[in-house]
Every structure is written in C-alpha cells, then in structure tokens.
Amino acid sequence: MINAVLVFNNNGQPRLTKFYTQLDTAVQQRLISEIFTLVSARPSSSCNFLPLPPLLAPSNPQPESNDAPSLVTYRHYATLYFIVISTSTESPLALLDLIHVFVESLDYLFEDVCELDLIFNFETLHAVLGEMIVGGVVVETGREKVVEGVRAQGKVAKRPVNSSRPGIGAGMWAGR
Amino acid sequence: MFEKDVLQLIRGLRAHKGEEREYIQSSLRECKKEIKSNDMDQKATALLKLVYLEMFGHDMGWASFNVLEVMSSQKYPHKRVGYLAAVQSFRPDTEVLMLAENLLKKDLTSPDKNLIHLPLNAIPHLINPSMANSLLADLLPRLSHSHPAVRKKTIVTLYRLAVVYPETLRPAWPKIKERLLDEDEDPSVTAAIVNVVCELGWRRPQDFLPLAPHLFELLTQGGNNWMAIKIIKLFSQLAPLEPRLVRKLLPPLTSIIKTTPAMSLLYECINGIIQGGIMEVAAGTTEGDEVARLCVSKLRAMLVVQGDPNLRYVALLAFGKITASHADLVADHQDVILECIDDADISIRTRALDLVVNMVNSNNLQLVVERLLKQLKTAGKQSPVNEPENSRTFHEGVIPMADDDDEGTATPVKNKDQKSNQPPPLPEDYRQSVIERILEMCSKENYVNMDDFEWYITVLVELVKQCPSSSPSGTFGSAAWKKSMADAIGDELRNVAVRVKGVRPEAAAAAQSLLLLDNREEHFAQATENAQNVLSAAAFIAGEYAAVLPDAGAVMASLVHTTTTQLPTHALASYIQAIPKVFAALTSNEQVPWTDSRKSEVVLLIARITHFLEPLNLHPSLEIQERAVEYLDLMRLASEAVSAQQVDSENGGYAEPPLLLTQAIPSLFTGMDLNPVAPDAVRKVAAPESLDLNAPINSSLEMILQQAEYDTEYDSGEDEVRRFYYEKPSMVKTSYVKPASELLEDRDSGSASYQDTDRDSLLDPEALERKRAERRERYRDDPFYIDSERNSGTSTPMHNILRSANGSDLDVDAIPVMELKLDSGSGDSSRAPKPKAHKKPKRHFEITSDETIDGGEPTSSSAPISYSSSPSGRGGITQRGKKSLLEFNSAGLSALSLEDGPSAGSSSRGNAGSKLDFERRIQEEEELAKAMKEVERLRLEMQRQAERVEEPTEEGTVVKRKGRKKVRSGIAADEGQSLGGDDGIKKKKKKKKVKESEAPAAEASAKGEQEQEKEEAPVKPKKKKKRQVTFDE
C-alpha cells in the first residue's frame, strides 16, 4: 500500500502532505526534509527511486516486511517534486505512472497547471488525491474519472484573481 | 472584519519574505481567535488556514474540537474543510475522535453522494478498533450504493477497517466477493477490489485460492494494466501454495511478456514469475526453461537500454531476487551488471552492489572486487565542506518562505526541468557500503570463493587507504554496523593471518607496511585517524608472527616511536602487546654470537623500549597502564640479565647469550597457536561438576560489605588486613585522570554499592585528600604498595631488590647514544627470508575454520571475530525491535481466517459467541420482527377469542415480564366484557414497542465493549420471547 504522498518544490517547501498512517507533525516535517535532502541531490539523469531516508530505514536488517515502507518513488516536474512512499506490494513502475496520472489530472483541471495553482488551491489538490488514493490504496487510475470525481464535488477554482499568467503574476507579487 | 481568507494568508506569507516566522505566529494567533467565533464561515476559514500552516509543521492538535465543530456544520464547503482538517491533523491520541463517531455515521448515510465521499475518505485516517466496530454497520450498505465511486471507496475503507479490526471481514468479505464476481460491476470498482484483495492476499494467501479462477479470467481478459499488475502480484503469493496454478499461469504470463507494450506490466510479469517461485517449480520442463531464459533476457535488455535508468534499477532489483535460486543464470550477465556498478546514479549503484554480493563465485570474485576498488580509487571523496549545505536543510525545519522566483512557480509543471548531469561524488556511506560489501563477498562462508589470499591481502591494504573519513551513520548497508570500517578491515587482515597459515608471511609483510612510519603518509594520507584503527590488528599480526616479519627491526622502531602514543587507545594497547613479542623475535636467537656489539645493540633496544613504556605507566587507560607496567618490568629484568652476561672474550671464547632472552621471554609468547574460536564454543564448554555457580565465593561477603558500610575510618588493625587483600593497589590512580581513579579507589575501599557511584563523587575532595595522605603514611613501608607519588612506578620494590642483589645499577642515560641499526649489526639468520620470492600463479590455501567443541555445527558466519584482543567496539549488535515509521500493524489481520467467512452464512448462526455485534443486531432485528408478527397474530387470535368470549387458558402462564403481567391482568379483568379486551391488547403492543426501541439503545451502550458477557444481556429476553411464542402455538 501507499504510506504517504508528498509534494514539495525545489526549495523543499511542502505543497501537499498526505500520510496514510498517523504521524506526528514534527516527525512528518523531519521526514519531508530528509527526503528533500536526498532528492535534491540527484541529477535529472538518475532513476526515480530513492534509497530509504534514515527515518524510514529499518533498524534491524530483517527480511523485509510487506507492512513497512520500502520504496520511495519520486518524479520531478518543473519546480515540483512528487513523492510516493510505499510498501513492497506496490509496483515501482506503476507508481511512476500513478504520479503521472496525478499530474495529468491536475493539469487538466487547472489547464497548464503550475506551482502557483497548487499553492492557492491546495484543497483541490487534496480532492484530486482523494479521488485516486483512499487510505493508501489506489482507487482510480483513469484521468477522466478522477477529473469527473473532483468536478462533481464542486467548482474547481481557477487561478487566484489577478494572477492569470506567469508574467503578469510576477509583476503583481513584486509590489507586495 | 479584517479576517484574512486563506488566499490572503498565502499571499501575505509570500509578501513577508524573510520574516515568515513572525507572520506565521501572528496568523496563528488570529486563527486562534477566529476559530472561536460563532460564525461558521469564519471558523471554517480559520481552520483552512490552520490546515495550510500545518503543512509547514505548525501543529494544530489544539484545534481538534473546532475541527469537529466545522465537520458538523450543515454546509458542504464547511464540512469539506472540516474533514480535510481531521484527516491532516487527527492523531491516534486525539480525544475528540469519540465524538466524531456519530457524525461519521450520519454523513455516511446521507442521501447526498458528495457528502458520503467525505467520511469515506476520512475514515481510513481516523479509524480505531472500537469505532470500526460501530461504523461497520453503516459502511456495509454503501457497498451496494448506486454510484460506483462510492462503492469503490467503501471497499477500500472497509479494508482499512479490517486492518485495525479484523472481524470486519466476516460480514464484509462475502459482499466484497460478490462485487468482485459480479460481471456487470464497474471496471474501476473491480480494480479497487483487486487492489484490496492484493493487500489482503499476502497476509493470508490461502484464503484467496478459491478466487484464483476468476482472477485468472480477469487477467487474461486484459484491458486494465493496473489491475493486471496487481493480479500478478497476488498470484505470485498464491502460486507457492498451489502448484497447479503454476502450469495455468505460465502460458498467459509468457504471452504477456512477449506482447505487452506496457513496460510496467512486462516487468511485473517477470517479477511475479520470480517471486512466485514459478521458475523453480517449472524448472526442468521445456516451458520452464524457456520462461527462465525469456525473463533473464528481457531483464538484460532492460539493463542495457539507454536513457531509462528506472528500468535499469528495477531490472537489478529483479536480478537480485533471482540470485537466491539461479545465481548462475545471473552470473552469465555479469558484464552488464558490472556496468551498473559504475552507473552515475547512486541508487542504481547500490542495487548493483547488493546484487553482486550474492552473485559472486570463485571465478568472478577478483573481477568484481577489482572493479569496485577501481571505483573507490577514482572517485573523489566527498569533502566534509560540502556537507553543511545538506545538513542545514536537515536540521532546520522547512519554513515557508516567500517565493522570490515567481517565474519558477509559474512554470508549467509538465515541463521537465534540466539539471546538471554530473554524478555526485561518492557519499561516505556509499563508500563505506562498498568496503563492507567487498569484505562480505571475500570472506563469505569462510572464504569459499577466495583463491588467492596474497591478492586479498593487497586488496585489504588498499582498502585501508579508501576508508571513509567520518564515522558511519549510513543507511546503505545494515544500520546495525557499529564499528568503523577500519576495524572491519583490520579484523579481516587478522582473520586471514590466523586462518590461512600459507599467507602468514604476506600478512606479516602487509602488517609491517601498515605499521612502518615511513609509509604512514601513503596509507593514511586521505583518511583520518579513523583509518588508524586498522593498526590495532596490524600490530597484533606483527607481534604474533614476528618471526616472519620481513624487517622486525624497522617494525620495532615504528612501534616504539614517540608518535605512537597518539594512537587510539586500543591500537596503542595492541602496540604495547606486540612490543615484547617483536623484541623476543629480535633477541632470542641463540646462534648469534654474544659479542660486544650485539650486547650494546640489545641494551640499546631495551633502553628504547623502556623509554617508550615509562610514560605509559600513567596512561589513563587501565589496559595500557597494566600492559606497560608488566612489560616495563620485563624489560628491566632483561636489561639486568644482559648487563650481567659476560661477552665473548677477545681470544674467541664463546659466550652464551643470556637465557632470559633466548628462553624465558620467548616462552612467554609461544606455545599454543592462537586459533579462531567459534562464537558459541565457549557456551559449549561443560561446567565442571564440582563448580557450583550459586555458592558464594566468599561466604562472609555480606558481612564484609555491611561492615564496610559502617567502617568509614580505616584505623583498626583487622581492617587493614582486609584492605590489604581486597583493595586494589592504588596504582590505578594517576594524577591527571582524577575523577575516574577516585571513583575506583573509593569504590574499592568499601562502598557497599557498586551502583551508587554518585555518592562517592559527592565526597568532599578535601576528605579524600586527607584519607589518601593517611593511607600513604600507613603504607610507607609496605613493599607491595605502589604509590605513584613516591615515583615507585618507575622503580618497583622488586626492582630494588634485584638491583641491590646484582650490585650494579643500570644507568640508561649513561649508555652512549649510537645509531640503532638493527638489521645491519645482527646476523641475517634472525630474519625470515623475503617472502616475495615465490610467485606462483595459484596456490592451494588451507583455511582454518573456527574451533568449536563437540564437533557441533561450526558456525560458518562470515567473519567470526571471537578471539579479538582489542578491548573496544566489540559490543554485541543490539537488535532494536522498533518498527519502522509509517508501518502499520496488521498482525491481527493475518491471524483472522476467512475460511468460514464466505461459506458460513447461516450455519454458524447458532454460535453466538463468534458473532459480530453487527450480525447479532441483524439477527435480533429479525427475531424482533418475527416476535412482532407473532404478537400481531396473537392479538388477532385473542381478539377472535374475545369475540367468541372464550377465555385464553395457557397464554399467560409463561409471560414473566412485569409489563406483560399487567396487561394480562387487564385482559383478565376485561375478560367478561366482550369488547374491552381489544383495548388491553393494544396497550400491550405499545409496551412492546417501547421495549423494542429500548433494546437498540441498550445495545448501543454495550457496543463499544465487545465483550461477550455484555452482549448476551440484550439477547436473552428475546430468546424468552421466542420461547413464549412457540409455546403459544
């Protein structure tokens, strides 16, 4: 099963955190920064699988249990890292595809999604994830159905007012 | 009226660059205020802001009650926020969870399908066993909800329920199975079920065997790759249980491998074949061979494919799994696998490294190790300067900063960003892992793969140079690895020297090259003092096999060099131990004529050793101190013997070298060979029958300790005798390590408790000093009392006695200083021939295995180091049973058998004990309905009877309840009136209804407890009812 889905940007600032097992906020933050440390050091040419961060590394070298997280898969899109922590019962390559479906769905909902969309619409981000993964189990892998499910829950807000396109947006933030 | 909404919060955050902390704190304060407001809109907004800040690590546990408030709002947008907050912030110890239960139940049964999604998504995050028990009844009907999205989420939620409360599956599994077998079910629901079954499958595969035919059908129908992957994963769990399945699976899996365009499916097919043991079962048949070849060739193709490191990674993973059974198959592809060892990507390297360890055999061992060594040599070490950058992000939490690069954040996410292609320098823990693996590969199964130990020794020496500089904290290998890599290399060197007699000269030469000061630059240039731990083992080898050292004199010069004292403690201890051994090797030869020059040479050697050892008398480490004191005295004895011995007279008369040198000292170190001992051999030593471990060694110990408690003054004569025997001489006391020595001293001098050291240290230092002075006074004339402050450390009473007996003093300083050229002066015969002489291509090595008792199974663990002489770092590996973060405990789930679940249905109904609360309730409801019908029938009957003015005869006798009795009496009273009876019966019915409505309430209160005893209470009355009804008939 999937233990956690994380999204953070190139600076390690979280944009989405979803843990399917309850974890203290402080521990969550440590885990995020550990993973960020690992992931940010990797060149784009390397593969999309991370060694387990120290927090998750099994303390004793036992035969791996299917209950313990053993796989950290990530994908890097523009300014964002999408990370999935899962147990060995998930297929590594399928998880990569899953992340892609997630991003595609977001892209479809926001039309050319960018980090700003996700910052301002993090509720929608959660909703999209909720349509795909429930309780750590994948429930939907088809983009159309995910989008349909999210739209059924309510209107998806477009970009926040006044910040329609990158160029304009930059000018806008500069004044504040 | 100036509350911010969440967008404003985010904007504000972005605007307050550099002072986010203050901004967040002020926002949190605002939120705290706003969340208490009565306006639900404001509450929800504040909550959403808190959820946003929670993402950055600002705990919102304090707001859990407010979360609940927002969750229970009537408006959907509020609810949405509330549920999101609950999912993100509730923890197992959140108390308000109990209050959420009814809300969840209510929302689950809502007619609005959007509303249902909220609890369905949230329950997996919140669930605990007691809640699971009560929510189950409301969740199950959702399985047949008209909307497929609700159905699939319900299925997954039920799975999470089952994880915490396994009994869930009893009622839920038949329904889930029904959904799965339903041909008309929505495909995404089927896929969700397959996902859940796959998760359940590895825990109790045997329960899912009956589903195999249907799953097989789903697999062959194809269409959904996601589902196919999961089915294959499930089958790999089932296959070991049912050999017939393997034959069924082979053709479709082979055809998928050959035809599928989806790489993930292809890979999972291969993976499934490997993990399901299909290769083993099918081995021998033509089909099996074909499939094995096919898999391996596909994996090879994945390794060599350009531009997709992910495929390389997973292919290595799969290869790693095959090695267990088909190491030879994998070794055929070592060329491509070895390429991966040099991959730019550290993840791939690590996988490859894991793989080669299991892949090596005697043919490719050298090839693999050379390759790894080359990698270590060529890759630059990561300088510690680079690390702070990483550790900064590690230690400080990530704080939300105002993004300065809006262009960056606004870049469409879909564009892959380009980064430098440069491989990172080898991280320390990877470097360490490589060394670890090299050692593991080479020493595996008592060096079964090792052909050439000379080569191995050169590898080990080379590895010393490549030692990582920092202490390990790594995660690549086993996390339990506590000792430094240098220790491990040293252990290997020693292992080889001890076990393989044939290469002892080479091992000794290697030890010499490590020890020699001239080489120190070369060996330890890059590495820090960490690498010097290897010197401990080197000194041991040099000492133990001093006879075969190429240049014992040079080794001795390095051993007693002044820089030696700066070595780590256990290395120094090992050095001191080696000194007399090398000394013996240098001086014990009887054949060398005892000439003047020989004599002065030996005197000089002794002087140098004495000079080296003397300061160590006061070393803080007890072991070093003890060894130094011992050997110092030995050297004194030797020097006296040497100076007393007559040399050759000028006219050629032959003089014997002193016996002490030729016989006594060597005999201290020779005799039995030191052999490796199996770790558990000691345990097998039978205790002598006469030994009673329970008998006190000193029967009056108790008394003595008690006495010591009271006698803090030491002036009684009897006490002095006791102290003489029981107290350690205060030699351990040194001037510059006061705390430790004081502690020891006081503890020995009669403190009753060995735990309570604090008490000692709390003693007044003045009093201590006074006591010490007293003691010095008392023992002034005691020849056995060695007092450091009397300088007795450098001249023991024993020495005094000898000195006075011999008459002549040794004045070290009086010896003229001359250059110590040990090799030129002494005869060549004292040296072993240079071992480099023979260069045979292959040698047969005899490898000593561990010695053990009983001829019991010699434990062939990879590196048994039970004879270690080094005092530190040998602590047992502590296995912490701590479970990993994010891991959840599903032990209960695997203990639950589904066997009777699907089939039982009504048959197990009689067994009330095994019934679920939920099922019981349904049963009770049925019974109630039945009873109601009976009552109705009864009423009609009675009515008819009343109409006929016939008195009911038996009915009343069995009615035990009070209410009933009343009614009955009513009937009795009315019996004479033809129409009044109707009324009374109606009343009775009403009473019953009241009771019915009470029953569920009682149930609800008892529900949480689950205890059988409690559950039986509401069941009983109904049973009675039933009895009554049947009686009536």
Side-chain angles (χ1 to χ4, degrees):
Chain A
M1 63 169 273
I2 291 165
N3 299 91
V5 177
L6 308 171
V7 179
F8 47 70
N9 71 359
N10 287 345
N11 300 324
Q13 298 167 327
R15 295 297 176 222
L16 169 78
T17 58
K18 184 73 93 183
F19 290 87
Y20 293 100
T21 26
Q22 292 171 333
L23 215 58
D24 264 352
T25 311
V27 184
Q28 291 181 358
Q29 294 298 315
R30 260 185 68 200
L31 190 60
I32 292 171
S33 67
E34 279 188 6
I35 292 179
F36 172 68
T37 311
L38 283 173
V39 90
S40 58
R42 296 174 67 80
S44 60
S45 61
S46 43
C47 72
N48 294 5
F49 306 102
L50 284 182
L52 282 181
L55 259 183
L56 294 181
S59 49
N60 39 359
Q62 274 174 1
E64 70 180 41
S65 147
N66 280 342
D67 266 338
S70 64
L71 201 62
V72 182
T73 315
Y74 77 97
R75 273 189 106 136
H76 191 197
Y77 291 92
T79 58
L80 292 173
Y81 286 103
F82 289 76
I83 280 107
V84 174
I85 305 174
S86 68
T87 64
S88 58
T89 50
E90 298 294 331
S91 162
L93 294 177
L95 283 181
L96 287 175
D97 291 347
L98 186 74
I99 296 176
H100 194 70
V101 173
F102 184 42
V103 174
E104 269 186 346
S105 308
L106 290 172
D107 194 51
Y108 197 84
L109 281 165
F110 288 111
E111 289 161 27
D112 284 341
V113 67
C114 69
E115 189 182 344
L116 272 182
D117 294 319
L118 306 190
I119 296 173
F120 285 102
N121 296 296
F122 76 106
E123 232 192 316
T124 313
L125 195 56
H126 280 285
V128 175
L129 189 62
E131 285 300 306
M132 295 179 68
I133 303 171
V134 173
V137 180
V138 180
V139 289
E140 187 55 70
T141 52
R143 194 202 68 204
E144 294 81 12
K145 289 212 169 163
V146 173
V147 170
E148 183 190 318
V150 174
R151 286 201 170 141
Q153 285 174 34
K155 197 172 174 305
V156 174
K158 285 281 163 255
R159 227 157 291 232
V161 257
N162 299 341
S163 61
S164 52
R165 281 321 308 163
I168 308 162
M172 178 196 164
W173 304 124
R176 302 218 174 182
Chain B
M1 74 183 271
F2 285 110
E3 314 92 44
K4 295 178 285 205
D5 68 3
V6 70
L7 292 186
Q8 280 161 330
L9 170 83
I10 298 167
R11 278 183 196 141
L13 210 53
R14 294 162 63 83
H16 288 74
K17 188 170 156 53
E19 49 203 54
E20 293 86 358
R21 254 175 229 284
E22 294 79 32
Y23 184 77
I24 289 175
Q25 286 313 321
S26 78
S27 301
L28 279 174
R29 274 194 298 279
E30 282 170 26
C31 289
K32 259 179 207 177
K33 221 181 298 158
E34 288 164 22
I35 210 163
K36 294 205 179 72
S37 121
N38 286 325
D39 177 8
M40 197 50 97
D41 282 328
Q42 200 178 358
K43 231 189 218 329
T45 310
L47 194 62
L48 193 59
K49 286 193 275 186
L50 284 177
V51 173
Y52 187 78
L53 293 175
E54 200 269 349
M55 185 160 72
F56 295 98
H58 299 277
D59 187 49
M60 55 176 288
W62 51 272
S64 54
F65 187 76
N66 307 103
V67 172
L68 210 60
E69 284 179 322
V70 178
M71 274 168 83
S72 56
S73 161
Q74 295 302 314
K75 288 190 191 158
Y76 176 73
H78 294 166
K79 264 189 188 305
R80 212 168 100 155
V81 173
Y83 272 102
L84 177 61
V87 165
Q88 296 298 95
S89 74
F90 280 12
R91 306 283 177 256
D93 56 347
T94 303
E95 281 167 1
V96 295
L97 217 50
M98 314 239 292
L99 304 174
E101 200 175 300
N102 277 327
L103 182 66
L104 290 172
K105 284 159 103 59
K106 191 169 138 257
D107 288 343
L108 268 180
T109 45
S110 154
D112 179 0
K113 75 174 174 55
N114 274 337
L115 208 51
I116 298 178
H117 284 295
L118 294 177
L120 283 181
N121 271 331
I123 287 171
H125 296 263
L126 312 178
I127 201 72
N128 61 35
S130 70
M131 249 169 86
N133 189 9
S134 91
L135 287 179
L136 184 53
D138 301 291
L139 264 175
L140 278 179
R142 300 293 136 242
L143 272 180
S144 37
H145 196 273
S146 59
H147 215 266
V150 174
R151 290 203 296 273
K152 71 187 179 197
K153 286 186 182 176
T154 307
I155 285 159
V156 173
T157 305
L158 279 171
Y159 159 69
R160 285 301 294 256
L161 237 61
V163 170
V164 294
Y165 182 62
E167 288 293 314
T168 305
L169 285 181
R170 261 185 231 289
W173 174 244
K175 294 192 191 230
I176 297 178
K177 195 174 146 193
E178 194 182 300
R179 296 276 115 223
L180 177 64
L181 298 179
D182 188 349
E183 298 284 337
D184 304 325
E185 184 53 278
D186 189 278
S188 67
V189 178
T190 313
I193 297 174
V194 169
N195 275 350
V196 166
V197 170
C198 180
E199 285 296 331
L200 291 169
W202 64 263
R203 296 187 175 95
R204 289 193 65 82
Q206 64 274 30
D207 289 345
F208 297 93
L209 269 180
L211 284 181
H214 186 71
L215 291 172
F216 190 80
E217 209 176 299
L218 285 176
L219 177 67
T220 46
Q221 275 169 8
N224 187 346
N225 286 341
W226 301 83
M227 196 167 78
I229 287 172
K230 285 287 177 179
I231 293 176
I232 290 167
K233 276 204 169 275
L234 181 63
F235 272 135
S236 74
Q237 303 283 349
L238 299 183
L241 298 175
E242 179 57 87
R244 282 175 297 175
L245 206 54
V246 173
R247 252 180 297 138
K248 280 284 261 180
L249 279 173
L250 264 182
L253 289 186
T254 322
S255 84
I256 291 176
I257 290 177
K258 282 180 179 156
T259 57
T260 182
M263 198 48 99
S264 53
L265 184 55
L266 166 68
Y267 169 71
E268 287 303 332
C269 275
I270 297 171
N271 201 24
I273 289 174
I274 297 164
Q275 281 202 303
I278 294 175
M279 273 188 174
E280 279 91 338
V281 177
T285 64
T286 47
E287 272 178 321
D289 289 345
E290 189 205 343
V291 107
R293 259 200 315 280
L294 184 66
C295 287
V296 177
S297 68
K298 286 280 177 193
L299 286 178
R300 187 192 164 95
M302 287 167 95
L303 275 185
V304 293
V305 75
Q306 288 299 310
D308 197 343
N310 292 330
L311 290 185
R312 235 173 296 157
Y313 181 88
V314 292
L316 287 172
L317 267 184
F319 265 130
K321 284 169 189 153
I322 308 181
T323 42
S325 55
H326 295 74
D328 49 334
L329 260 180
V330 180
D332 288 345
H333 300 278
Q334 64 182 33
D335 49 338
V336 282
I337 292 168
L338 283 178
E339 282 304 313
C340 295
I341 281 184
D342 286 329
D343 198 283
D345 185 352
I346 227 86
S347 291
I348 292 179
R349 280 190 192 194
T350 316
R351 285 282 144 249
L353 196 58
D354 284 345
L355 175 56
V356 291
V357 171
N358 295 319
M359 190 188 77
V360 287
N361 53 38
S362 53
N363 294 325
N364 59 17
L365 176 71
Q366 292 203 13
L367 187 73
V368 171
V369 172
E370 295 283 358
R371 181 123 195 181
L372 286 172
L373 259 185
K374 197 177 116 213
Q375 184 184 65
L376 285 178
K377 274 191 225 165
T378 49
K381 282 199 185 186
Q382 193 178 32
S383 62
V385 190
N386 288 347
E387 281 170 71
E389 196 200 347
N390 292 341
S391 50
R392 182 184 59 83
T393 46
F394 185 87
H395 290 301
E396 290 175 26
V398 181
I399 49 164
M401 285 186 288
D403 302 283
D404 45 352
D405 51 343
D406 278 280
E407 276 172 47
T409 49
T411 323
V413 165
K414 289 192 84 179
N415 287 351
K416 257 227 165 198
D417 137 309
Q418 289 299 312
K419 278 219 244 159
S420 73
N421 275 351
Q422 202 151 31
L426 284 187
E428 292 290 282
D429 43 1
Y430 173 76
R431 188 173 275 277
Q432 177 194 337
S433 169
V434 169
I435 298 176
E436 203 175 298
R437 297 307 162 88
I438 291 178
L439 298 182
E440 187 186 336
M441 272 186 272
C442 293
S443 62
K444 204 158 69 170
E445 289 166 42
N446 206 12
Y447 305 100
V448 71
N449 290 328
M450 183 61 68
D451 290 331
D452 188 352
F453 279 94
E454 287 169 44
W455 168 82
Y456 186 38
I457 288 168
T458 56
V459 168
L460 288 174
V461 173
E462 182 57 42
L463 282 181
V464 173
K465 284 184 210 166
Q466 305 299 337
C467 258
S469 51
S470 60
S471 260
S473 60
T475 54
F476 279 97
S478 57
W481 193 270
K482 285 289 187 301
K483 25 178 212 178
S484 75
M485 279 343 288
D487 274 328
I489 297 169
D491 286 342
E492 271 305 299
L493 259 181
R494 181 168 44 202
N495 243 342
V496 172
V498 171
R499 283 171 198 268
V500 192
K501 284 205 179 72
V503 288
R504 275 187 194 158
E506 287 84 352
Q512 168 178 320
S513 81
L514 287 172
L515 288 171
L516 284 188
L517 278 174
D518 305 342
N519 297 349
R520 199 157 285 182
E521 273 296 293
E522 183 199 328
H523 285 301
F524 304 107
Q526 301 163 309
T528 55
E529 60 187 57
N530 212 320
Q532 296 183 350
N533 285 337
V534 79
L535 291 177
S536 164
F540 173 85
I541 297 169
E544 200 57 32
Y545 308 114
V548 290
L549 275 179
D551 186 352
V555 170
M556 182 56 116
S558 296
L559 285 179
V560 299
H561 196 267
T562 44
T563 54
T564 303
T565 47
Q566 281 141 33
L567 288 177
T569 321
H570 66 279
L572 183 56
S574 177
Y575 265 52
I576 297 177
Q577 191 75 26
I579 287 169
K581 294 181 188 169
V582 180
F583 174 76
L586 282 171
T587 57
S588 66
N589 198 325
E590 291 174 45
Q591 309 305 317
V592 185
W594 189 246
T595 58
D596 251 337
S597 67
R598 171 76 170 165
K599 181 176 171 179
S600 57
E601 205 177 273
V602 172
V603 166
L604 233 169
L605 188 58
I606 293 173
R608 286 193 74 163
I609 296 173
T610 318
H611 180 70
F612 172 72
L613 289 178
E614 251 166 12
L616 295 177
N617 263 340
L618 302 173
H619 197 276
S621 159
L622 287 185
E623 189 182 4
I624 291 175
Q625 212 177 87
E626 191 205 357
R627 290 183 186 190
V629 169
E630 274 174 24
Y631 296 136
L632 203 53
D633 269 299
L634 193 65
M635 285 303 123
R636 293 227 166 83
L637 286 174
S639 92
E640 273 147 33
V642 167
S643 54
Q645 192 76 13
Q646 289 301 314
V647 291
D648 282 354
S649 50
E650 299 249 336
N651 49 22
Y654 182 74
E656 290 278 320
L659 272 180
L660 188 75
L661 290 186
T662 56
Q663 305 281 318
I665 293 182
S667 73
L668 290 174
F669 302 112
T670 54
M672 296 293 223
D673 244 1
L674 281 180
N675 280 334
V677 178
D680 55 349
V682 176
R683 240 176 297 143
K684 290 183 183 166
V685 177
E689 274 175 38
S690 57
L691 178 69
D692 182 6
L693 288 174
N694 292 322
I697 296 171
N698 184 343
S699 53
S700 55
L701 179 70
E702 192 75 11
M703 197 192 71
I704 291 168
L705 286 176
Q706 267 172 9
Q707 226 171 19
E709 191 95 307
Y710 300 117
D711 300 353
T712 36
E713 295 299 315
Y714 302 110
D715 28 17
S716 81
E718 183 235 357
D719 200 42
E720 215 159 52
V721 176
R722 191 186 62 77
R723 279 169 48 73
F724 174 74
Y725 283 111
Y726 291 106
E727 190 194 333
K728 262 195 202 157
S730 60
M731 186 181 75
V732 292
K733 187 188 69 185
T734 55
S735 51
Y736 50 92
V737 279
K738 256 190 178 155
S741 64
E742 273 171 19
L743 223 68
L744 266 174
E745 220 170 14
D746 280 297
R747 193 187 290 161
D748 287 340
S749 61
S751 143
S753 161
Y754 279 85
Q755 274 88 48
D756 192 9
T757 52
D758 278 341
R759 212 194 55 178
D760 298 331
S761 60
L762 285 173
L763 278 178
D764 184 10
E766 260 181 54
L768 277 175
E769 197 47 54
R770 203 175 53 241
K771 264 189 217 162
R772 205 175 296 133
E774 272 172 28
R775 195 164 42 230
R776 258 204 306 280
E777 196 58 35
R778 225 176 13 253
Y779 292 122
R780 182 187 288 276
D781 298 313
D782 190 339
F784 298 104
Y785 182 73
I786 303 163
D787 193 334
S788 57
E789 280 158 61
R790 276 199 319 207
N791 273 338
S792 60
T794 53
S795 92
T796 58
M798 183 70 92
H799 185 68
N800 277 332
I801 294 163
L802 277 167
R803 189 159 33 175
S804 53
N806 285 340
S808 68
D809 276 5
L810 166 74
D811 190 356
V812 173
D813 298 326
I815 298 170
V817 180
M818 58 183 249
E819 211 179 344
L820 183 67
K821 273 162 66 188
L822 290 158
D823 34 359
S824 60
S826 58
D828 281 333
S829 55
S830 71
R831 212 125 301 145
K834 283 253 172 191
K836 285 273 170 247
H838 42 82
K839 268 269 186 245
K840 275 179 269 176
K842 272 251 165 124
R843 276 168 68 183
H844 177 71
F845 293 101
E846 197 138 319
I847 305 157
T848 322
S849 59
D850 288 334
E851 282 186 352
T852 185
I853 294 178
D854 297 335
E857 280 284 295
T859 44
S860 56
S861 55
S862 54
I865 329 138
S866 47
Y867 56 88
S868 153
S869 66
S870 78
S872 66
R874 227 43 100 208
I877 295 163
T878 46
Q879 289 232 340
R880 280 170 298 159
K882 209 184 116 233
K883 70 171 194 172
S884 167
L885 272 179
L886 289 176
E887 176 174 347
F888 63 77
N889 184 9
S890 64
L893 197 53
S894 50
L896 176 86
S897 166
L898 280 177
E899 295 279 273
D900 59 340
S903 63
S906 59
S907 66
S908 64
R909 177 160 293 177
N911 184 7
S914 72
K915 280 284 160 193
L916 268 180
D917 174 38
F918 155 78
E919 287 179 318
R920 221 173 282 128
R921 199 168 351 137
I922 290 182
Q923 193 180 335
E924 280 156 13
E925 269 162 18
E926 278 170 12
E927 279 170 18
L928 260 183
K930 227 185 197 173
M932 279 291 295
K933 252 186 230 157
E934 287 296 329
V935 170
E936 185 65 14
R937 194 179 60 77
L938 204 65
R939 195 186 63 84
L940 285 171
E941 216 168 75
M942 281 169 78
Q943 201 173 339
R944 258 177 266 128
Q945 278 173 348
E947 276 164 8
R948 272 179 264 141
V949 203
E950 261 179 39
E951 197 178 322
T953 46
E954 294 161 333
E955 187 221 348
T957 51
V958 279
V959 179
K960 297 228 165 77
R961 293 232 198 123
K962 221 176 158 187
R964 285 287 186 87
K965 255 180 193 158
K966 244 186 217 159
V967 174
R968 211 193 88 75
S969 64
I971 296 171
D974 290 344
E975 65 187 291
Q977 302 164 18
S978 55
L979 293 169
D982 212 342
D983 242 314
I985 292 164
K986 262 185 191 157
K987 218 195 268 170
K988 170 185 160 184
K989 195 184 157 197
K990 256 180 214 156
K991 284 252 169 183
K992 243 214 115 183
K993 265 196 178 150
V994 170
K995 241 172 250 138
E996 278 160 25
S997 61
E998 271 167 12
E1003 239 171 57
S1005 68
K1007 215 179 305 168
E1009 276 126 296
Q1010 293 184 34
E1011 255 85 49
Q1012 294 308 340
E1013 296 82 29
K1014 301 220 166 125
E1015 293 302 335
E1016 262 156 31
V1019 177
K1020 249 179 206 161
K1022 269 149 229 162
K1023 278 197 175 151
K1024 270 179 206 150
K1025 229 176 290 153
K1026 209 172 175 185
R1027 210 179 301 139
Q1028 170 216 340
V1029 168
T1030 46
F1031 195 87
D1032 277 342
E1033 287 166 357

